[in-house]
Amino acid sequence: MDSKIECVVVETGPNPTGCVIWLHGLGADGYDFVPIVKELEQMGLPNTRFVFPHAPKIPVSINGGYVMRAWYDIKNADLQRQEDESGIRQSQATVEQLINDQIALGFTPDKIVLAGFSQGGAIAYQTGLRTAHKLAGLIALSTYLPCENTLDTELNPANLSIPVLAAHGEQDNIVLMERGEKAVNLLRNKGVVVEWHSYPMAHSVCGEEVVEIASFLKKVL
């Protein structure tokens, strides 16, 4: 890995044919979603490489400046007011580098999926829609669309045709479900094919959702 960022890498078998770069949420780390790999594997996923980067440790305003792993600062419970645009773009550049690293290892962009939960999902949207590479798909869990006002000018038109899986908890009080729906509607209005699921849960991931993720990955990889 040439990136300056540490990652947990898990391969479900020899010579993986697809790659999933999966970004964790605020205050978690790359190990957060590692247990999901086993479940996905049992659902018949082809041999896949999972890359779970650790976000850098930065002070987070909304948590009283407490230093934790975060992809960008959150200044406001509103999430979309006073956005930390420079932090978002810095993480976008990091993820671009991770994508390039995987391409250098032999994965073509159409075999790379970008996935993320919460803050990680926001960076997956931010990067996946703007990158020059047309990826296999995007998975956005319990998240929202950052930097909405620059999307039209920065969107790579090639990425309008990549499949997106978006899912949200109906009782989410961290990222309200209407934020997730707003992102989905905005993308659908641009012609993106988004598969949307909501579940009776809070800000988390549930078993049914993992089943949907498995079937999505099998389809796009």
Coordinates of all heavy atoms in Angstrom, one line a residue, residues 65-163:
G65 N -14.3 18.8 20.9 CA -12.9 18.8 20.4 C -12.1 17.6 20.8 O -10.9 17.5 20.7
Y66 N -12.8 16.6 21.3 CA -12.2 15.3 21.7 C -11.6 14.7 20.4 O -12.2 14.7 19.3 CB -13.3 14.4 22.2 CG -12.8 13.1 22.8 CD1 -12.2 13.1 24.1 CD2 -12.8 11.9 22.2 CE1 -11.7 12.0 24.7 CE2 -12.3 10.7 22.7 CZ -11.8 10.8 24.0 OH -11.3 9.6 24.5
V67 N -10.4 14.2 20.6 CA -9.6 13.6 19.4 C -10.1 12.1 19.2 O -10.1 11.3 20.1 CB -8.1 13.6 19.6 CG1 -7.4 12.9 18.5 CG2 -7.7 15.1 19.7
M68 N -10.5 11.9 18.0 CA -11.0 10.5 17.7 C -10.8 10.3 16.2 O -10.5 11.2 15.4 CB -12.5 10.3 18.0 CG -13.4 11.3 17.4 SD -15.1 11.0 17.8 CE -15.1 11.3 19.5
R69 N -11.0 9.0 15.8 CA -10.8 8.8 14.3 C -12.0 9.4 13.6 O -13.2 9.1 14.0 CB -10.8 7.3 14.1 CG -9.4 6.7 14.5 CD -9.1 5.3 13.9 NE -7.9 4.7 14.4 CZ -6.7 5.0 13.9 NH1 -6.6 5.9 12.9 NH2 -5.6 4.4 14.5
A70 N -11.8 10.2 12.6 CA -12.8 10.8 11.8 C -12.3 11.1 10.4 O -11.2 11.4 10.2 CB -13.3 12.1 12.6
W71 N -13.2 11.1 9.5 CA -12.9 11.4 8.1 C -12.9 12.9 7.9 O -12.3 13.4 6.9 CB -13.8 10.7 7.1 CG -13.7 9.2 7.2 CD1 -14.6 8.3 7.8 CD2 -12.6 8.4 6.8 NE1 -14.1 7.0 7.7 CE2 -12.9 7.0 7.1 CE3 -11.4 8.7 6.1 CZ2 -12.0 6.0 6.8 CZ3 -10.5 7.6 5.9 CH2 -10.8 6.3 6.2
Y72 N -13.6 13.6 8.8 CA -13.6 15.1 8.7 C -14.3 15.6 10.0 O -14.9 14.8 10.7 CB -14.4 15.6 7.5 CG -15.8 15.0 7.3 CD1 -16.9 15.6 7.9 CD2 -16.0 13.8 6.6 CE1 -18.2 15.0 7.7 CE2 -17.2 13.2 6.4 CZ -18.3 13.8 7.0 OH -19.6 13.2 6.8
D73 N -14.2 16.8 10.3 CA -14.8 17.4 11.5 C -16.3 17.6 11.3 O -16.8 17.9 10.2 CB -14.1 18.8 11.8 CG -14.5 19.3 13.2 OD1 -15.0 18.5 14.0 OD2 -14.4 20.5 13.4
I74 N -17.0 17.4 12.4 CA -18.4 17.7 12.4 C -18.7 18.9 13.4 O -18.4 18.7 14.6 CB -19.3 16.5 12.7 CG1 -19.1 15.5 11.6 CG2 -20.7 16.9 13.0 CD1 -19.9 14.2 11.7
K75 N -19.1 20.0 12.9 CA -19.3 21.2 13.7 C -20.7 21.3 14.2 O -20.9 22.1 15.2 CB -18.9 22.4 12.9 CG -17.5 22.3 12.3 CD -17.1 23.6 11.6 CE -15.6 23.6 11.3 NZ -15.3 23.3 9.9
N76 N -21.6 20.6 13.6 CA -23.0 20.9 13.9 C -23.9 19.7 13.8 O -23.7 18.9 12.9 CB -23.4 21.9 12.8 CG -24.7 22.6 13.1 OD1 -25.8 22.0 13.1 ND2 -24.7 23.9 13.3
A77 N -24.8 19.5 14.7 CA -25.7 18.3 14.6 C -26.5 18.2 13.3 O -26.9 17.2 12.9 CB -26.6 18.3 15.8
D78 N -26.6 19.4 12.7 CA -27.3 19.4 11.4 C -26.5 18.7 10.3 O -27.1 18.3 9.3 CB -27.5 20.9 11.0 CG -28.3 21.1 9.7 OD1 -27.8 20.7 8.7 OD2 -29.4 21.5 9.8
L79 N -25.2 18.4 10.5 CA -24.3 17.7 9.6 C -24.1 18.5 8.3 O -23.0 18.5 7.8 CB -24.9 16.3 9.2 CG -25.0 15.3 10.4 CD1 -25.7 14.0 9.9 CD2 -23.7 15.0 11.0
Q80 N -25.1 19.1 7.7 CA -24.9 19.8 6.4 C -24.7 21.3 6.5 O -24.4 22.0 5.6 CB -26.0 19.4 5.4 CG -25.9 18.0 4.9 CD -27.1 17.6 4.1 OE1 -28.2 17.6 4.5 NE2 -26.8 17.1 2.9
R81 N -24.8 21.8 7.8 CA -24.5 23.2 8.0 C -23.1 23.3 8.5 O -22.6 22.4 9.2 CB -25.4 23.8 9.1 CG -26.7 24.3 8.4 CD -27.7 24.9 9.4 NE -27.0 25.7 10.4 CZ -27.4 25.7 11.7 NH1 -28.4 25.0 12.1 NH2 -26.9 26.5 12.6
Q82 N -22.4 24.3 8.1 CA -20.9 24.5 8.5 C -20.1 23.3 8.2 O -19.4 22.8 9.0 CB -20.8 24.8 10.0 CG -21.6 26.0 10.5 CD -21.5 26.1 12.0 OE1 -22.1 25.4 12.7 NE2 -20.6 27.0 12.5
E83 N -20.3 22.8 7.0 CA -19.5 21.6 6.6 C -18.0 21.8 6.6 O -17.6 22.8 6.2 CB -19.9 21.1 5.2 CG -21.1 20.1 5.2 CD -21.3 19.5 3.8 OE1 -21.2 20.2 2.8 OE2 -21.7 18.3 3.8
D84 N -17.3 20.8 7.0 CA -15.8 20.8 7.0 C -15.4 20.4 5.6 O -14.9 19.3 5.4 CB -15.3 19.9 8.1 CG -13.8 19.7 8.0 OD1 -13.1 20.6 7.4 OD2 -13.3 18.7 8.5
E85 N -15.5 21.3 4.7 CA -15.3 20.9 3.3 C -13.8 20.5 3.0 O -13.6 19.6 2.3 CB -15.7 22.1 2.3 CG -15.8 21.6 0.9 CD -16.3 22.6 -0.1 OE1 -17.2 23.4 0.3 OE2 -15.9 22.6 -1.2
S86 N -12.9 21.2 3.7 CA -11.5 20.9 3.4 C -11.2 19.5 4.0 O -10.5 18.7 3.4 CB -10.5 21.9 4.0 OG -10.6 21.9 5.4
G87 N -11.8 19.1 5.1 CA -11.6 17.8 5.7 C -12.2 16.7 4.8 O -11.6 15.7 4.6
I88 N -13.4 17.0 4.3 CA -14.0 16.1 3.4 C -13.2 15.8 2.2 O -13.0 14.7 1.7 CB -15.4 16.6 3.0 CG1 -16.4 16.6 4.2 CG2 -16.0 15.8 1.9 CD1 -17.7 17.3 4.1
R89 N -12.6 16.9 1.6 CA -11.8 16.8 0.4 C -10.5 16.1 0.6 O -10.0 15.4 -0.2 CB -11.6 18.2 -0.3 CG -12.9 18.7 -0.8 CD -12.8 20.0 -1.6 NE -14.1 20.5 -2.0 CZ -14.8 20.0 -3.0 NH1 -14.4 18.9 -3.7 NH2 -16.0 20.5 -3.3
Q90 N -10.0 16.3 1.8 CA -8.7 15.6 2.2 C -9.0 14.1 2.2 O -8.2 13.3 1.7 CB -8.3 16.1 3.6 CG -6.8 16.2 3.7 CD -6.5 17.0 5.0 OE1 -7.3 17.7 5.5 NE2 -5.3 16.8 5.4
S91 N -10.1 13.7 2.8 CA -10.4 12.2 2.9 C -10.8 11.7 1.5 O -10.4 10.6 1.2 CB -11.6 12.0 3.8 OG -11.1 12.0 5.2
Q92 N -11.4 12.5 0.7 CA -11.7 12.1 -0.7 C -10.4 11.8 -1.4 O -10.2 10.8 -2.1 CB -12.4 13.3 -1.4 CG -12.7 13.0 -2.9 CD -13.3 14.3 -3.6 OE1 -13.7 15.3 -2.9 NE2 -13.3 14.3 -4.9
A93 N -9.3 12.7 -1.2 CA -8.0 12.4 -1.8 C -7.4 11.1 -1.3 O -6.8 10.4 -2.1 CB -7.1 13.6 -1.6
T94 N -7.6 10.9 0.0 CA -7.0 9.7 0.6 C -7.7 8.4 -0.1 O -7.0 7.5 -0.4 CB -7.3 9.6 2.1 OG1 -6.7 10.8 2.7 CG2 -6.8 8.4 2.7
V95 N -9.0 8.5 -0.2 CA -9.7 7.3 -0.8 C -9.4 7.2 -2.3 O -9.2 6.0 -2.8 CB -11.2 7.5 -0.6 CG1 -12.0 6.3 -1.2 CG2 -11.5 7.5 0.9
E96 N -9.2 8.3 -3.0 CA -8.7 8.2 -4.4 C -7.4 7.4 -4.4 O -7.2 6.6 -5.3 CB -8.4 9.6 -5.0 CG -9.7 10.3 -5.4 CD -10.2 9.9 -6.8 OE1 -9.7 8.9 -7.4 OE2 -11.2 10.5 -7.2
Q97 N -6.5 7.8 -3.5 CA -5.2 7.1 -3.4 C -5.4 5.6 -3.2 O -4.7 4.8 -3.8 CB -4.3 7.7 -2.4 CG -2.9 7.2 -2.3 CD -2.2 7.3 -3.6 OE1 -2.0 8.4 -4.1 NE2 -1.7 6.2 -4.1
L98 N -6.3 5.3 -2.3 CA -6.6 3.8 -2.0 C -7.1 3.1 -3.2 O -6.7 2.0 -3.5 CB -7.6 3.7 -0.9 CG -7.2 4.0 0.5 CD1 -8.4 4.0 1.5 CD2 -6.2 3.0 1.0
I99 N -7.9 3.8 -4.0 CA -8.5 3.2 -5.2 C -7.3 3.0 -6.2 O -7.1 1.9 -6.8 CB -9.5 4.1 -5.9 CG1 -10.8 4.2 -5.0 CG2 -9.9 3.6 -7.3 CD1 -11.8 5.3 -5.4
N100 N -6.4 4.0 -6.3 CA -5.3 3.9 -7.2 C -4.3 2.7 -6.8 O -3.8 2.0 -7.6 CB -4.5 5.2 -7.3 CG -5.3 6.2 -8.1 OD1 -6.1 5.9 -9.0 ND2 -5.1 7.5 -7.8
D101 N -4.2 2.6 -5.5 CA -3.3 1.5 -5.0 C -3.9 0.1 -5.4 O -3.1 -0.8 -5.8 CB -3.3 1.5 -3.4 CG -2.5 2.7 -2.9 OD1 -1.8 3.4 -3.7 OD2 -2.6 3.0 -1.7
Q102 N -5.2 0.0 -5.3 CA -5.8 -1.3 -5.7 C -5.7 -1.5 -7.2 O -5.5 -2.7 -7.7 CB -7.3 -1.4 -5.2 CG -7.5 -1.3 -3.7 CD -6.6 -2.3 -3.0 OE1 -6.5 -3.4 -3.3 NE2 -5.9 -1.8 -2.0
I103 N -5.8 -0.4 -8.0 CA -5.7 -0.6 -9.4 C -4.3 -1.0 -9.8 O -4.0 -1.9 -10.6 CB -6.1 0.8 -10.1 CG1 -7.6 1.0 -10.0 CG2 -5.6 0.8 -11.6 CD1 -8.1 2.4 -10.4
A104 N -3.3 -0.4 -9.0 CA -1.9 -0.8 -9.2 C -1.7 -2.3 -8.9 O -0.8 -2.9 -9.4 CB -1.0 0.1 -8.4
L105 N -2.5 -2.8 -8.0 CA -2.3 -4.2 -7.6 C -3.0 -5.2 -8.6 O -3.1 -6.4 -8.5 CB -2.9 -4.5 -6.2 CG -2.1 -3.9 -5.1 CD1 -2.9 -4.0 -3.8 CD2 -0.7 -4.6 -5.0
G106 N -3.7 -4.6 -9.6 CA -4.3 -5.4 -10.7 C -5.8 -5.4 -10.7 O -6.4 -6.1 -11.5
F107 N -6.5 -4.7 -9.8 CA -8.0 -4.7 -9.8 C -8.4 -3.6 -10.8 O -8.0 -2.5 -10.6 CB -8.6 -4.4 -8.4 CG -8.4 -5.5 -7.4 CD1 -7.3 -5.4 -6.5 CD2 -9.2 -6.6 -7.4 CE1 -7.1 -6.5 -5.6 CE2 -9.0 -7.6 -6.5 CZ -8.0 -7.6 -5.6
T108 N -9.2 -3.9 -11.8 CA -9.7 -2.9 -12.7 C -10.8 -2.1 -11.9 O -11.5 -2.7 -11.0 CB -10.2 -3.5 -14.0 OG1 -11.2 -4.5 -13.6 CG2 -9.1 -4.0 -14.8
P109 N -11.0 -0.8 -12.2 CA -12.0 0.0 -11.5 C -13.4 -0.7 -11.5 O -14.1 -0.6 -10.5 CB -12.1 1.3 -12.3 CG -10.7 1.4 -12.9 CD -10.3 0.0 -13.2
D110 N -13.7 -1.5 -12.5 CA -15.1 -2.1 -12.6 C -15.1 -3.3 -11.7 O -16.2 -4.1 -11.6 CB -15.5 -2.4 -14.0 CG -14.6 -3.5 -14.6 OD1 -13.5 -3.8 -14.1 OD2 -15.0 -4.0 -15.7
K111 N -14.1 -3.6 -10.9 CA -14.1 -4.7 -9.9 C -13.9 -4.1 -8.5 O -13.5 -4.9 -7.6 CB -12.9 -5.7 -10.2 CG -13.2 -6.5 -11.5 CD -14.4 -7.5 -11.2 CE -14.7 -8.3 -12.5 NZ -16.1 -8.9 -12.4
I112 N -14.0 -2.8 -8.4 CA -13.8 -2.1 -7.1 C -15.1 -1.5 -6.6 O -15.7 -0.7 -7.4 CB -12.7 -1.1 -7.2 CG1 -11.3 -1.7 -7.6 CG2 -12.5 -0.3 -5.8 CD1 -10.2 -0.7 -7.8
V113 N -15.5 -1.8 -5.4 CA -16.7 -1.2 -4.8 C -16.3 -0.4 -3.7 O -15.4 -0.7 -2.9 CB -17.7 -2.3 -4.3 CG1 -18.8 -1.7 -3.5 CG2 -18.3 -3.1 -5.5
L114 N -16.9 0.8 -3.6 CA -16.6 1.7 -2.4 C -17.8 1.7 -1.5 O -18.9 1.9 -1.9 CB -16.4 3.1 -3.0 CG -15.8 4.2 -2.1 CD1 -14.5 3.7 -1.5 CD2 -15.5 5.4 -3.0
A115 N -17.6 1.3 -0.2 CA -18.6 1.2 0.7 C -18.3 2.0 2.0 O -17.2 2.3 2.3 CB -18.8 -0.3 1.2
G116 N -19.4 2.5 2.7 CA -19.1 3.3 3.9 C -20.3 3.3 4.7 O -21.5 3.3 4.3
F117 N -20.1 3.5 6.0 CA -21.1 3.6 7.0 C -21.0 5.0 7.6 O -20.0 5.5 8.0 CB -21.0 2.6 8.1 CG -21.9 2.7 9.3 CD1 -23.3 2.3 9.1 CD2 -21.6 3.3 10.5 CE1 -24.2 2.4 10.2 CE2 -22.4 3.4 11.5 CZ -23.8 3.0 11.4
S118 N -22.2 5.7 7.7 CA -22.3 7.0 8.3 C -21.3 8.0 7.7 O -21.3 8.3 6.5 CB -22.1 6.8 9.9 OG -22.4 8.0 10.6
Q119 N -20.3 8.5 8.5 CA -19.3 9.4 8.0 C -18.5 8.8 6.8 O -18.2 9.4 5.8 CB -18.4 9.8 9.1 CG -18.0 11.3 9.1 CD -16.8 11.6 9.9 OE1 -16.0 10.8 10.3 NE2 -16.7 12.9 10.3
G120 N -18.3 7.5 7.0 CA -17.6 6.8 5.9 C -18.4 6.7 4.6 O -17.9 6.8 3.5
G121 N -19.7 6.6 4.8 CA -20.6 6.6 3.7 C -20.7 7.9 2.9 O -20.7 8.0 1.7
A122 N -20.6 9.0 3.7 CA -20.5 10.3 3.1 C -19.3 10.5 2.2 O -19.4 11.0 1.1 CB -20.5 11.4 4.2
I123 N -18.2 9.9 2.7 CA -16.9 10.0 1.9 C -17.0 9.0 0.7 O -16.5 9.3 -0.4 CB -15.7 9.7 2.8 CG1 -15.5 10.7 3.8 CG2 -14.4 9.5 1.9 CD1 -15.3 12.2 3.3
A124 N -17.8 7.9 0.9 CA -18.0 7.0 -0.3 C -18.8 7.7 -1.4 O -18.4 7.7 -2.6 CB -18.7 5.8 0.2
Y125 N -19.8 8.4 -1.0 CA -20.6 9.2 -2.0 C -19.7 10.3 -2.6 O -19.6 10.5 -3.8 CB -21.7 10.0 -1.2 CG -23.1 9.2 -1.2 CD1 -23.9 9.4 -0.1 CD2 -23.5 8.4 -2.2 CE1 -25.2 8.8 -0.1 CE2 -24.7 7.8 -2.2 CZ -25.6 8.0 -1.1 OH -26.8 7.4 -1.1
Q126 N -19.0 11.1 -1.7 CA -18.2 12.2 -2.2 C -17.2 11.7 -3.2 O -17.0 12.4 -4.2 CB -17.4 12.8 -0.9 CG -16.4 13.8 -1.2 CD -17.1 15.2 -1.6 OE1 -18.2 15.4 -1.4 NE2 -16.3 16.1 -2.1
T127 N -16.5 10.6 -2.9 CA -15.4 10.1 -3.8 C -16.0 9.4 -5.0 O -15.6 9.6 -6.2 CB -14.4 9.2 -3.0 OG1 -14.1 9.9 -1.8 CG2 -13.2 9.0 -3.8
G128 N -16.9 8.5 -4.7 CA -17.4 7.6 -5.8 C -18.1 8.3 -6.9 O -18.1 7.9 -8.1
L129 N -18.7 9.4 -6.7 CA -19.4 10.2 -7.7 C -18.5 11.1 -8.5 O -18.8 11.5 -9.6 CB -20.6 11.0 -7.1 CG -21.7 10.2 -6.4 CD1 -22.6 11.1 -5.6 CD2 -22.5 9.4 -7.5
R130 N -17.4 11.5 -7.9 CA -16.5 12.4 -8.5 C -15.3 11.8 -9.1 O -14.6 12.4 -9.9 CB -16.0 13.5 -7.4 CG -17.1 14.4 -7.0 CD -16.7 15.2 -5.7 NE -17.6 16.3 -5.4 CZ -18.7 16.1 -4.7 NH1 -19.1 14.9 -4.3 NH2 -19.5 17.1 -4.4
T131 N -14.9 10.6 -8.7 CA -13.7 10.0 -9.2 C -13.6 9.8 -10.7 O -14.7 9.6 -11.3 CB -13.4 8.6 -8.5 OG1 -12.2 8.1 -9.1 CG2 -14.5 7.7 -8.7
A132 N -12.4 9.9 -11.3 CA -12.3 9.6 -12.7 C -12.5 8.2 -13.1 O -12.8 7.8 -14.2 CB -10.9 10.1 -13.2
H133 N -12.4 7.3 -12.1 CA -12.6 5.9 -12.3 C -14.1 5.5 -12.2 O -14.7 5.8 -11.3 CB -11.8 5.0 -11.3 CG -10.4 5.3 -11.3 ND1 -9.5 5.1 -12.3 CD2 -9.6 5.9 -10.3 CE1 -8.3 5.5 -12.0 NE2 -8.3 6.0 -10.8
K134 N -14.5 4.7 -13.2 CA -15.9 4.2 -13.1 C -15.9 2.9 -12.3 O -15.4 1.9 -12.8 CB -16.5 4.0 -14.5 CG -18.0 3.7 -14.4 CD -18.6 3.5 -15.8 CE -20.0 3.0 -15.6 NZ -20.5 2.5 -16.9
L135 N -16.4 3.0 -11.1 CA -16.3 1.8 -10.2 C -17.4 0.8 -10.4 O -18.3 1.1 -11.2 CB -16.3 2.3 -8.7 CG -15.2 3.3 -8.3 CD1 -15.4 3.8 -6.9 CD2 -13.8 2.7 -8.5
A136 N -17.3 -0.3 -9.7 CA -18.3 -1.4 -9.9 C -19.6 -1.0 -9.2 O -20.7 -1.4 -9.6 CB -17.8 -2.7 -9.3
G137 N -19.5 -0.2 -8.1 CA -20.7 0.2 -7.4 C -20.4 1.0 -6.1 O -19.2 1.0 -5.7
L138 N -21.4 1.5 -5.5 CA -21.3 2.3 -4.2 C -22.2 1.7 -3.2 O -23.4 1.4 -3.6 CB -21.6 3.7 -4.4 CG -20.7 4.7 -5.1 CD1 -21.3 6.1 -5.1 CD2 -19.3 4.7 -4.5
I139 N -21.8 1.6 -2.0 CA -22.7 1.2 -0.9 C -22.7 2.3 0.2 O -21.6 2.6 0.7 CB -22.2 -0.2 -0.3 CG1 -22.3 -1.3 -1.3 CG2 -23.1 -0.5 1.0 CD1 -21.8 -2.6 -0.8
A140 N -23.8 2.9 0.4 CA -23.9 4.0 1.4 C -24.9 3.6 2.5 O -26.1 3.5 2.3 CB -24.4 5.2 0.6
L141 N -24.3 3.4 3.7 CA -25.2 2.9 4.8 C -25.3 4.0 5.9 O -24.4 4.6 6.3 CB -24.5 1.7 5.5 CG -24.1 0.6 4.5 CD1 -23.3 -0.5 5.3 CD2 -25.3 0.0 3.8
S142 N -26.6 4.3 6.2 CA -26.9 5.2 7.3 C -26.1 6.5 7.1 O -25.4 7.0 8.0 CB -26.6 4.6 8.7 OG -27.2 3.4 8.8
T143 N -26.3 7.1 5.9 CA -25.4 8.3 5.6 C -26.2 9.3 4.8 O -27.4 9.3 4.7 CB -24.1 7.8 4.9 OG1 -23.2 8.9 4.9 CG2 -24.4 7.4 3.5
Y144 N -25.4 10.3 4.4 CA -26.0 11.5 3.6 C -25.0 11.9 2.6 O -23.9 11.5 2.6 CB -26.4 12.6 4.6 CG -25.2 13.2 5.3 CD1 -24.7 14.5 4.8 CD2 -24.5 12.6 6.3 CE1 -23.5 15.0 5.4 CE2 -23.4 13.2 6.9 CZ -22.9 14.4 6.4 OH -21.8 14.9 7.0
L145 N -25.4 12.9 1.8 CA -24.6 13.4 0.7 C -23.9 14.7 1.1 O -24.6 15.7 1.4 CB -25.5 13.7 -0.5 CG -24.9 13.6 -1.9 CD1 -24.2 12.3 -2.2 CD2 -26.1 13.9 -2.9
P146 N -22.6 14.7 1.3 CA -21.9 15.9 1.6 C -21.6 16.8 0.4 O -21.8 16.3 -0.7 CB -20.6 15.4 2.2 CG -20.3 14.1 1.5 CD -21.6 13.6 1.1
C147 N -21.3 18.0 0.6 CA -20.9 18.9 -0.5 C -21.9 18.9 -1.6 O -21.5 18.9 -2.8 CB -19.5 18.6 -1.0 SG -18.2 18.7 0.3
E148 N -23.2 18.9 -1.3 CA -24.2 18.8 -2.3 C -24.1 19.9 -3.4 O -24.3 19.7 -4.5 CB -25.6 19.0 -1.6 CG -26.3 17.7 -1.4 CD -27.6 17.9 -0.7 OE1 -28.2 19.0 -0.9 OE2 -28.1 17.0 0.0
N149 N -23.7 21.1 -2.9 CA -23.8 22.3 -3.8 C -22.7 22.3 -4.9 O -22.8 23.0 -5.8 CB -23.6 23.6 -3.0 CG -22.5 23.6 -2.0 OD1 -21.9 22.5 -1.8 ND2 -22.2 24.7 -1.4
T150 N -21.7 21.4 -4.7 CA -20.7 21.3 -5.8 C -20.8 20.0 -6.6 O -20.0 19.8 -7.5 CB -19.2 21.3 -5.2 OG1 -19.1 20.2 -4.3 CG2 -19.0 22.6 -4.4
L151 N -21.8 19.2 -6.3 CA -21.9 17.9 -7.0 C -22.1 18.1 -8.5 O -21.5 17.4 -9.3 CB -23.0 17.1 -6.3 CG -23.2 15.7 -6.9 CD1 -21.9 14.9 -6.7 CD2 -24.3 14.9 -6.3
D152 N -23.0 19.0 -8.9 CA -23.3 19.1 -10.3 C -22.0 19.5 -11.1 O -21.9 18.9 -12.2 CB -24.4 20.2 -10.5 CG -25.7 19.6 -10.3 OD1 -25.9 18.4 -10.3 OD2 -26.7 20.4 -10.2
T153 N -21.2 20.3 -10.6 CA -20.0 20.7 -11.4 C -18.9 19.7 -11.3 O -18.1 19.6 -12.2 CB -19.5 22.1 -10.9 OG1 -19.4 22.1 -9.5 CG2 -20.4 23.2 -11.3
E154 N -18.9 18.9 -10.2 CA -17.8 18.0 -10.0 C -18.1 16.5 -10.4 O -17.2 15.7 -10.4 CB -17.3 18.0 -8.6 CG -16.8 19.4 -8.2 CD -16.5 19.5 -6.7 OE1 -16.8 18.7 -5.9 OE2 -15.9 20.6 -6.3
L155 N -19.4 16.2 -10.5 CA -19.8 14.9 -10.8 C -19.1 14.4 -12.1 O -19.1 15.1 -13.1 CB -21.3 14.9 -11.0 CG -21.9 13.5 -11.3 CD1 -22.1 12.7 -10.1 CD2 -23.3 13.7 -11.9
N156 N -18.6 13.2 -12.1 CA -18.1 12.6 -13.3 C -19.3 11.9 -14.0 O -19.8 10.9 -13.4 CB -17.0 11.5 -13.0 CG -16.6 10.8 -14.2 OD1 -17.0 11.0 -15.4 ND2 -15.7 9.8 -14.0
P157 N -19.7 12.4 -15.2 CA -20.9 11.8 -15.8 C -20.9 10.3 -16.0 O -21.9 9.6 -15.9 CB -21.0 12.5 -17.2 CG -20.1 13.7 -17.0 CD -19.1 13.4 -16.0
A158 N -19.7 9.7 -16.1 CA -19.6 8.3 -16.3 C -20.1 7.6 -15.0 O -20.6 6.4 -15.1 CB -18.1 7.9 -16.5
N159 N -20.1 8.2 -13.9 CA -20.5 7.6 -12.6 C -22.0 7.6 -12.4 O -22.5 7.0 -11.4 CB -19.8 8.2 -11.4 CG -18.3 8.0 -11.5 OD1 -17.8 7.0 -12.2 ND2 -17.5 8.8 -10.9
L160 N -22.7 8.3 -13.3 CA -24.2 8.3 -13.2 C -24.7 6.9 -13.5 O -25.9 6.5 -13.1 CB -24.8 9.3 -14.2 CG -24.6 10.7 -13.8 CD1 -25.1 11.6 -14.9 CD2 -25.3 11.1 -12.5
S161 N -23.9 6.0 -14.1 CA -24.5 4.7 -14.5 C -24.0 3.6 -13.5 O -24.2 2.4 -13.8 CB -24.1 4.3 -15.9 OG -22.7 4.4 -16.0
I162 N -23.3 4.0 -12.4 CA -22.9 2.9 -11.5 C -24.0 2.6 -10.5 O -24.7 3.5 -10.0 CB -21.5 3.2 -10.8 CG1 -21.6 4.4 -9.8 CG2 -20.4 3.4 -11.7 CD1 -20.4 4.6 -9.0
P163 N -24.2 1.3 -10.2 CA -25.2 1.0 -9.2 C -24.9 1.4 -7.8 O -23.7 1.3 -7.4 CB -25.3 -0.6 -9.3 CG -24.1 -1.0 -10.0 CD -23.5 0.2 -10.7

